[in-house]
Amino acid sequence: MLSKNQLKYIQSLHQKKYRQQYGAFLVEGAKSVQEVLQSDFQIELVVATEAFYKENARLTDHQRTPVEIASVGDLERAGTLESNNAALAVVKTKENRPLLAEPGEIALILDDIRDPGNLGTILRIADWYGVRKILCSETTADVYNPKVISASKGSFTRVQWWYGNVVEVLNQKNTPLAVYGAFLGGEDVHTLAFSQSGYLVMGNESNGIRPEVAQFVTQRVTIPRYGDAESLNVGIATAVLLDNIRRVNAGQ
Amino acid sequence: MLSKNQLKYIQSLHQKKYRQQYGAFLVEGAKSVQEVLQSDFQIELVVATEAFYKENARLTDHQRTPVEIASVGDLERAGTLESNNAALAVVKTKENRPLLAEPGEIALILDDIRDPGNLGTILRIADWYGVRKILCSETTADVYNPKVISASKGSFTRVQWWYGNVVEVLNQKNTPLAVYGAFLGGEDVHTLAFSQSGYLVMGNESNGIRPEVAQFVTQRVTIPRYGDAESLNVGIATAVLLDNIRRVNAGQ
């Protein structure tokens, strides 16, 4: 049974302010909770229906994770999902450790990606294409937002992120790694020979990459258009760019 | 001013049943309304704020489109968007005319794409990659759903669709066009030489392409994975596949 205080605490984690204050966030739904229980995240509490608990007891018992059994109604009251008949987990946030691309590695830089759904999708795409490091400008959506976690479909357990001043990172970088940036009027990604090391910068949904970041882009790249749509969604563009980067590498 | 009957009529178009009964659908928001006013769709009525009307009068006056001036509150009450300070249009649906891929053309077949957001995104992607024809199984989300129209970002004015028995279409097709289908374990799209003519079949979000459709697929294709995510969203996969199809053609 969830106590009133537990319910209040969990509900407070819908808001960034309280996630930061308590250093915890929510993971919701059967699949995501199963994935986080098998990851290196530290779990504070699992709230589960009896059915979910019985089916997944080995995952919680193994780590001696505290579990509260709750009704579907209580689960939905506590969490943010419209329907959740399985479980939610209260999980400790990770330390905000600096990340840099190593030679032989592509890292993502997200410059002011505002939409949580887009950020979650980008985590999933990074995970598909084997990108493990995501550097986020402070204005990028909070990765611990329940919508981000949910849209990432479990990929939040397999990629790392850092929030901070990406301009400074690019300014201080003294390695000769490539910095690719998505722009209109850049080099055609179908013919460009991509390096296997460096950064791919994706910009804000409406305004693109900020000038202070753009000055560090060593190669502007563009997805060629064959029809008339004005633009592609930033998640779609990230996937197509990473596919082109990996494709070129595959041929080498 | 919107009359009570107008308001009731517009609200009824949130539902598929009434869209079919009245042969009309809703287009909402400044950008989409501007685009539909410049398309070949027949407009029944535009409901606009005074500001939007003044700025766009040349678009409505040109076609002698009936316009009702409304407050933002009335607009939002009538439509489905959480915020809309510009306009909505009531637009006639088009006749459901059969579509076939011609030689030299790639057409999409959507086999049971259920999520309106995914369908809208696919319309936008098709428009970007110059795909003009989309054949939808009867179980695919209704393209006239306001969420589809909105997610398509105006691309619904530039692509054509048909709903019907896609199995029959594939069965009756006597031209030797390729039928590509997205599957796990298919040919690597980074090395496959795509034809410039044929169909690309995308399947249901959870279950993929149905067996009765799969039997007509002449070439199974797969996006190679470099990391650990279980899958890509169907919109993302459509974009990456079309990018690979166009990319190959670009090189020829």
Side-chain angles (χ1 to χ4, degrees):
Chain A
M1 263 285 286
L2 270 187
S3 72
K4 262 194 192 165
N5 277 342
Q6 282 175 318
L7 182 65
K8 224 176 119 183
Y9 170 58
I10 294 170
Q11 285 173 336
S12 78
L13 300 176
H14 299 191
Q15 290 177 59
K16 184 176 176 180
K17 172 170 89 165
Y18 294 107
R19 290 195 294 271
Q20 290 184 326
Q21 185 175 325
Y22 299 125
F25 69 105
L26 297 181
V27 175
E28 303 177 81
K31 193 72 200 329
S32 295
V33 171
Q34 286 165 339
E35 294 227 30
V36 80
L37 283 171
Q38 294 169 85
S39 75
D40 64 349
F41 276 95
Q42 233 187 298
I43 317 289
E44 271 183 27
L45 174 68
V46 168
V47 183
T49 58
E50 197 153 0
F52 180 90
Y53 174 65
K54 279 187 185 158
E55 274 170 39
N56 297 277
R58 64 183 173 83
L59 294 179
T60 46
D61 293 359
H62 175 62
Q63 310 265 6
R64 298 189 190 173
T65 308
V67 179
E68 294 287 349
I69 304 298
S71 66
V72 170
D74 272 353
L75 253 183
E76 292 172 358
R77 246 187 306 282
T80 68
L81 295 182
E82 252 180 62
S83 75
N84 179 357
N85 60 6
L88 69 75
V90 180
V91 182
K92 283 274 171 216
T93 59
K94 286 189 174 170
E95 204 189 324
N96 189 34
R97 282 201 205 130
L99 296 173
L100 291 172
E102 303 293 329
E105 180 182 47
I106 294 284
L108 273 178
I109 294 180
L110 304 184
D111 188 29
D112 196 20
I113 301 293
R114 290 295 176 97
D115 182 77
N118 285 342
L119 179 57
T121 301
I122 290 173
L123 260 55
R124 185 175 172 193
I125 291 162
D127 187 23
W128 179 273
Y129 283 107
V131 171
R132 294 285 163 233
K133 296 176 183 169
I134 304 183
L135 287 68
C136 303
S137 72
E138 285 113 338
T139 53
T140 290
D142 179 23
V143 72
Y144 295 114
N145 181 318
K147 282 185 195 154
V148 177
I149 296 298
S150 169
S152 87
K153 303 277 178 192
S155 290
F156 74 93
T157 62
R158 287 179 297 266
V159 296
Q160 303 167 271
W161 49 79
W162 168 80
Y163 282 75
N165 189 334
V166 295
V167 176
E168 224 163 77
V169 171
L170 287 167
N171 195 23
Q172 289 175 352
K173 143 185 115 64
N174 47 17
T175 51
L177 297 187
V179 181
Y180 298 106
F183 283 92
L184 295 174
E187 189 84 13
D188 181 342
V189 299
H190 289 178
T191 49
L192 181 66
F194 281 96
S195 161
Q196 314 197 20
S197 307
Y199 297 93
L200 171 62
V201 187
M202 302 301 299
N204 175 265
E205 288 90 342
S206 306
N207 308 314
I209 298 171
R210 287 173 299 162
E212 55 265 48
V213 172
Q215 62 176 319
F216 296 107
V217 168
T218 60
Q219 178 67 65
R220 294 180 174 224
V221 297
T222 297
I223 299 168
R225 179 173 74 161
Y226 298 84
D228 299 305
E230 259 181 35
S231 63
L232 290 171
N233 161 285
V234 65
I236 302 278
T238 305
V240 171
L241 290 172
L242 288 177
D243 190 74
N244 276 276
I245 291 173
R246 292 309 189 197
R247 179 188 221 278
V248 171
N249 294 343
Q252 280 167 355
Chain B
M1 263 287 284
L2 270 187
S3 72
K4 263 193 191 164
N5 277 341
Q6 281 175 319
L7 183 66
K8 224 175 121 185
Y9 170 58
I10 294 170
Q11 286 174 335
S12 78
L13 300 177
H14 299 191
Q15 289 177 60
K16 183 175 177 181
K17 174 170 87 164
Y18 293 107
R19 289 195 293 272
Q20 290 184 325
Q21 184 174 324
Y22 298 125
F25 69 105
L26 297 181
V27 176
E28 302 177 80
K31 192 76 200 329
S32 295
V33 171
Q34 285 165 340
E35 294 227 28
V36 79
L37 284 170
Q38 294 169 85
S39 75
D40 64 349
F41 275 95
Q42 233 187 296
I43 318 288
E44 270 184 27
L45 173 69
V46 169
V47 183
T49 58
E50 197 153 358
F52 180 90
Y53 174 65
K54 279 189 184 158
E55 274 169 40
N56 297 277
R58 65 183 170 82
L59 293 179
T60 46
D61 292 359
H62 175 64
Q63 309 264 6
R64 299 190 191 173
T65 309
V67 179
E68 293 288 349
I69 304 297
S71 65
V72 170
D74 272 353
L75 253 183
E76 292 173 358
R77 246 186 307 282
T80 69
L81 295 182
E82 252 180 62
S83 75
N84 179 357
N85 60 6
L88 70 75
V90 180
V91 182
K92 284 275 173 214
T93 58
K94 286 190 174 171
E95 203 188 325
N96 190 33
R97 283 202 204 129
L99 295 173
L100 290 173
E102 303 292 330
E105 181 182 47
I106 295 285
L108 274 178
I109 294 180
L110 304 183
D111 188 30
D112 195 21
I113 301 293
R114 291 294 177 97
D115 182 77
N118 285 341
L119 179 57
T121 300
I122 290 173
L123 259 55
R124 185 175 172 193
I125 291 163
D127 186 21
W128 178 274
Y129 283 106
V131 170
R132 294 285 164 234
K133 296 175 182 168
I134 304 183
L135 288 69
C136 303
S137 72
E138 284 112 337
T139 53
T140 290
D142 180 22
V143 73
Y144 295 115
N145 181 319
K147 283 185 195 154
V148 177
I149 296 299
S150 168
S152 86
K153 303 278 178 191
S155 289
F156 73 95
T157 62
R158 289 180 295 266
V159 296
Q160 304 167 271
W161 49 77
W162 168 79
Y163 282 75
N165 189 335
V166 294
V167 176
E168 224 165 74
V169 171
L170 287 167
N171 195 22
Q172 288 173 355
K173 145 185 113 66
N174 48 17
T175 50
L177 296 187
V179 181
Y180 298 106
F183 283 92
L184 295 174
E187 189 84 12
D188 181 342
V189 299
H190 288 178
T191 49
L192 181 67
F194 280 97
S195 161
Q196 314 196 21
S197 307
Y199 296 93
L200 171 62
V201 187
M202 302 301 298
N204 174 265
E205 288 89 343
S206 307
N207 307 315
I209 298 171
R210 286 174 298 163
E212 54 266 47
V213 172
Q215 63 178 317
F216 295 107
V217 168
T218 60
Q219 178 67 64
R220 294 181 175 223
V221 297
T222 297
I223 299 168
R225 178 173 74 160
Y226 298 84
D228 299 305
E230 258 181 36
S231 63
L232 289 171
N233 161 283
V234 65
I236 302 279
T238 305
V240 171
L241 290 172
L242 288 177
D243 190 74
N244 275 276
I245 290 173
R246 293 308 189 199
R247 179 187 220 281
V248 171
N249 295 345
Q252 280 170 353

